[in-house]
Structures are given as C-alpha cells and as structure tokens.
Amino acid sequence: MRKKGKEDEKIFRGFASKEKGIANLRKTFNEVKSIPCVERKIQVEEKHVTADDGYEIPVRIYHSETPKENGVILYYIHGGGFFGGHPGVVEESVKMFVAKTDFCAVSVDYRLAPENPYPRGHKDCYQVLQWIYENAEKMGGDKHHIFVAGDSAGGNLTQYCTTRDWEDDTHMVRGQMLLYPTPNMAKIEDEYYHPSMDQFEMIPKQKRGLSKMIGMFGGMTEGLEPILGTKDVENDYLNPYTRDPKKNPPTFLAVGEHDFLKLETLGYAVKLHNAGVDTTAVLYKGFGHAFFDNTGVYPQCEDCIDEMIKFILEH
C-alpha cells in the first residue's frame, strides 16, 4: 500500500515542482557547510569518465601522501534529492576518510534532474563504478575491494550501482554504505515499514517544530516524480525496498533519529538483516537529515567516518 502525503508534504511537493522552488532548494543543497579540519595534505585529481552517450562525467580522485598499495577504494556518491548537491558538499568528509586510512577515494559529479531525467544520473554513477573497477590498479587500489557509499539520494544511487552489479554478475562491489538513504520513495508499507510520528522520540518543547519539519520533508520523495521525469517511482531501481534483498553485499546504514528518512532506513536495515545480509546500522541521537555534510562542525560526522572505516576493515 502506498502512503499518501499529508498537508505539510503537499506544501513541499508544490514548492519542489516549480522551477523557482527547485532553484531555491538547489541553492540550499549546494551549500558547503563543513569546516576545513583535515590537517594532512590530500591530493585531489580531476578526471572525466566517458558516458555511453559521449558525455564526460567529472570525477575527483583523492590520495594521501602515503597511499596504501593495492588498498581499498571508496567510491562516494553525493546526495541532493537527485537535482542538487555536488562533490564539494562532502569533500571534507571524503578527505578525512582518506587521511585516516591512506585509502584512495573517488567521488562523482553525476548529471542532475530535471535537466537530465531519470535514469541518466543513475547510469552515470554505474558507469563510473565500472570505470573505477577497470582503472583500480592505475589508482593504486584493488579492484576487488571497492566500497560504494552515498548519502540521501546518493544512497539510492549507491544501491542502484550495487543492484546493477549483482544483476550483471560482475562482482565489483565488496560492500555498500548507505547514509540516510531513500530506499522506499514510493512509501510501500509492510512488516518493516509503518510510518508514524509516534516512532519519533521528541521532548515536548521540540515536538511542534520537529513534527512540522519531518512532515514537510517527508513529502519530498513524492515530489520527485516530476523532477525525475517519471511517474514510476515504484520501479525497483528507484524503490529498491521492494526487491528481494538477499543478494546484497555487506551493508552499513546510518541515520539521525529525527531524519524524515529514519523509518525507511531502519526498516530497510531490518529487512536486509532478516534476509541474511551482513548488516550494520547506526542511529545518531539528536540529529536530522544530512549531518554528514557537517564535518568539522559536529563530532558525530567524524564518528560516522570512523564507523564506516571499521565496517570496511571488517569486510
């Protein structure tokens, strides 16, 4: 059963469906909120990957001054509702990962909707994964140890890469890390997902403001249909929640307790676990959406990076 939007959700959908509204949201999503805090020198190399339609997809490659040979490669996909964001928003977080591990990292500046309707952005991300696999040795990494990660819409794009990988039987992805992802934008209810404000713990003085925020942004996924240029958000690439999850690789998930995507993130985590997938989930108390953009501001951002590193080293 598909959950219909409430009044606050309708406000967001109306706002996001207008050209001016998209521009304003894009401005917000493009803001760099992190504070430079990585003390080690990280080399950033800019390259382009040729897409199947000839477009040159920009990528950034990150190396420390003492890179590990044949090490892990982190492939990071930024969020932004499929229509906003850029690699710079999460660059400090990616640099911190590289500084802590001496592993290589790659981020992608995939094409955005609505100018590039679905599935263009998804295909861009998957084609960059294929390029990383083919060029891992040149980057000093091991093609058998590629971990794909992404936040929010980037989590959806991450899962798409993983899904395509096991569909194509290419075994490129060793593990995936989904930070407050969008696995169930169609809001399909089942034994793992029953959306209710009662599932958000809030102290009385915060309840009104948090409820409004969660309700408003909770309507964002339904507002994505016109932005993505499709009426089929229930397809199991955009809505991977409806797929049989048992073929997924080891999966790490993280979400804030007041994130409007908390319930579908945790529901998906339980669904993966019950299907036999090696699953780790972390819930950050007191946090809402997009906290990973704030490295150098909140210590929980660095803690999340440490949890991701721990997950990688275990797998």
Side-chain angles (χ1 to χ4, degrees):
M1 181 176 69
R2 185 169 178 177
K3 185 79 172 177
K4 296 298 182 182
K6 303 291 191 296
E7 287 305 312
D8 284 337
E9 296 174 345
K10 291 178 183 177
I11 293 171
F12 191 98
R13 291 201 303 273
F15 181 66
S17 64
K18 297 177 182 178
E19 187 175 339
K20 186 177 179 181
I22 293 173
N24 288 334
L25 284 171
R26 191 174 272 174
K27 183 178 179 181
T28 299
F29 292 169
N30 287 356
E31 181 183 356
V32 176
K33 304 180 186 74
S34 60
I35 295 175
C37 59
V38 176
E39 296 180 352
R40 295 186 64 190
K41 184 177 179 181
I42 304 298
Q43 177 186 347
V44 183
E45 182 182 6
E46 296 188 356
K47 283 187 174 291
H48 292 83
V49 175
T50 304
D52 57 2
D53 62 354
Y55 176 78
E56 296 294 317
I57 309 167
V59 298
R60 297 181 186 181
I61 304 171
Y62 300 83
H63 287 288
S64 74
E65 291 185 294
T66 56
K68 288 185 177 176
E69 285 189 33
N70 300 314
V72 165
I73 298 177
L74 173 69
Y75 175 31
Y76 198 90
I77 305 173
H78 71 80
F82 304 103
F83 63 87
H86 56 84
V89 174
V90 291
E91 182 158 86
E92 195 67 17
S93 301
V94 174
K95 284 183 175 180
M96 181 172 285
F97 172 89
V98 174
K100 283 175 172 282
T101 62
D102 286 323
F103 294 146
C104 172
V106 180
S107 67
V108 56
D109 195 5
Y110 55 90
R111 280 173 280 184
L112 302 174
E115 295 86 352
N116 302 281
Y118 170 80
R120 190 65 265 167
H122 286 69
K123 286 186 175 181
D124 282 357
C125 291
Y126 185 55
Q127 285 164 12
V128 169
L129 171 63
Q130 293 172 314
W131 179 86
I132 292 170
Y133 184 78
E134 293 165 1
N135 291 274
E137 188 175 339
K138 295 177 183 177
M139 292 185 282
D142 182 348
K143 68 179 182 180
H144 300 298
H145 288 87
I146 298 172
F147 286 77
V148 188
D151 62 281
S152 195
N156 183 285
L157 292 159
T158 295
Q159 180 64 75
Y160 174 79
C161 288
T162 299
T163 300
R164 287 294 311 276
D165 179 41
W166 54 256
E167 278 186 339
D168 294 346
D169 199 28
T170 43
H171 305 286
M172 296 182 289
V173 179
R174 186 64 175 258
Q176 65 175 349
M177 293 173 283
L178 312 177
L179 310 184
Y180 37 89
T182 55
N184 191 11
M185 68 172 69
K187 305 302 182 191
I188 304 298
E189 294 188 24
D190 61 10
E191 61 183 305
Y192 306 109
Y193 177 72
H194 295 284
S196 168
M197 279 295 177
D198 294 337
Q199 298 181 59
F200 291 90
E201 185 178 346
M202 296 174 272
I203 62 175
K205 69 178 182 180
Q206 293 178 330
K207 190 170 184 178
R208 183 177 179 182
L210 283 173
S211 295
K212 188 172 183 65
M213 179 194 71
I214 292 167
M216 182 178 293
F217 280 90
M220 179 177 178
T221 50
E222 288 188 56
L224 287 174
E225 288 183 346
I227 294 172
L228 286 167
T230 178
K231 293 183 179 180
D232 184 26
V233 296
E234 293 189 40
N235 82 70
D236 53 16
Y237 286 132
L238 280 175
N239 206 74
Y241 186 87
T242 51
R243 274 186 180 260
D244 183 346
K246 65 184 178 183
K247 291 185 179 180
N248 275 289
T251 301
F252 171 90
L253 304 98
V255 68
E257 72 165 331
H258 294 142
D259 193 324
F260 63 94
L261 294 173
K262 180 187 79 168
L263 302 182
E264 61 187 86
T265 297
L266 295 182
Y268 193 46
V270 176
K271 190 172 185 178
L272 288 164
H273 172 75
N274 287 351
V277 177
D278 188 336
T279 307
T280 301
V282 179
L283 177 69
Y284 284 94
K285 301 286 282 185
F287 276 81
H289 194 63
F291 64 82
F292 199 66
D293 299 352
N294 293 275
T295 291
V297 180
Y298 302 128
Q300 286 84 351
C301 300
E302 183 170 356
D303 180 81
C304 187
I305 293 167
D306 289 340
E307 291 285 353
M308 291 165 68
I309 294 169
K310 179 182 176 182
F311 172 80
I312 287 172
L313 294 178
E314 287 175 350
H315 296 92

